[in-house]
């Protein structure tokens, strides 16, 4: 990646974090959880694909219901604050702490997504590479 592209990418990531407070109150997903779309940009050299940044904020004890993401979604997530519990596809439940990250592949079923603490807040930034025409990033359901 050339220097100008790295600088644009870094500026875009900074914008993800700075734009979150300007977008207003995000909708609640479940008790103690909220999600904010903080970045949405078509990828110029990948026609039909977009990069979308989603900030997930959990209050102590907060969680998101079991869900799947858009069929084309490849997700790279980084915990920004606190610790989150994650389980994909019925596998092992893992705890990720600030600055740790994980990926979700297209078609993964997200069984568990929760704050690992009952008292402290947690935040994560999920970056989606997704088909531009897919507008529903998350569908809640209890099983695969």
């Amino acid at each position: 990646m050339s220097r100008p592209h790295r600088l644009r990418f870094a500026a875009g990531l900074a914008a993800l974090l700075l734009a979150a407070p300007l977008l207003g109150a995000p909708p609640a997903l479940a008790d103690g959880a909220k999600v904010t779309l903080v970045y949405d940009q078509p990828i110029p050299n990948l026609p039909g694909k977009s990069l979308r940044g989603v900030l997930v904020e959990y209050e102590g004890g907060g969680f998101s219901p079991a869900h799947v993401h858009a069929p084309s979604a490849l997700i790279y997530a980084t915990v920004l604050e606190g610790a989150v519990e994650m389980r994909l596809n019925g596998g092992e439940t893992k705890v990720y702490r600030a600055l740790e990250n994980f990926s979700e592949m297209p078609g993964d079923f997200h069984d568990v997504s929760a704050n690992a603490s009952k008292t402290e807040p947690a935040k994560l930034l999920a970056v989606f590479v997704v088909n531009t025409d897919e507008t529903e990033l998350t569908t809640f359901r209890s099983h695969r």
Side-chain angles (χ1 to χ4, degrees):
M1 184 183 291
S2 69
R3 181 171 168 75
H5 286 107
R6 283 194 305 265
L7 291 173
R8 280 197 295 265
F9 182 74
L13 286 177
L16 285 174
L17 299 175
L18 295 173
L22 304 175
L23 295 175
L29 288 181
D31 189 31
K34 62 183 177 178
V35 172
T36 306
L37 179 67
V38 294
Y39 187 79
D40 187 357
Q41 176 67 46
I43 302 173
N45 60 341
L46 292 175
K49 295 288 186 180
S50 287
L51 189 64
R52 295 189 181 133
V54 175
L55 181 66
V56 180
E57 299 174 273
Y58 292 117
E59 296 175 1
F63 67 96
S64 298
H67 59 275
V68 294
H69 293 291
S72 70
L74 171 63
I75 302 163
Y76 176 78
T78 301
V79 177
L80 301 175
E81 176 184 325
V84 295
E85 274 187 286
M86 297 289 157
R87 184 174 69 217
L88 297 173
N89 304 315
E92 177 186 351
T93 300
K94 297 180 181 179
V95 174
Y96 296 91
R97 299 183 191 298
L99 301 181
E100 293 181 330
N101 52 67
F102 59 94
S103 297
E104 291 184 50
M105 299 298 130
D108 278 351
F109 179 70
H110 207 148
D111 310 81
V112 174
S113 181
N115 189 339
S117 172
K118 299 295 181 200
T119 58
E120 299 298 318
K123 291 182 187 177
L124 68 89
L125 177 65
V127 178
F128 289 65
V129 176
V130 65
N131 289 347
T132 301
D133 62 358
E134 289 183 305
T135 57
E136 284 294 321
L137 292 181
T138 304
T139 302
F140 298 102
R141 57 188 206 200
S142 60
H143 61 283
R144 274 191 121 161

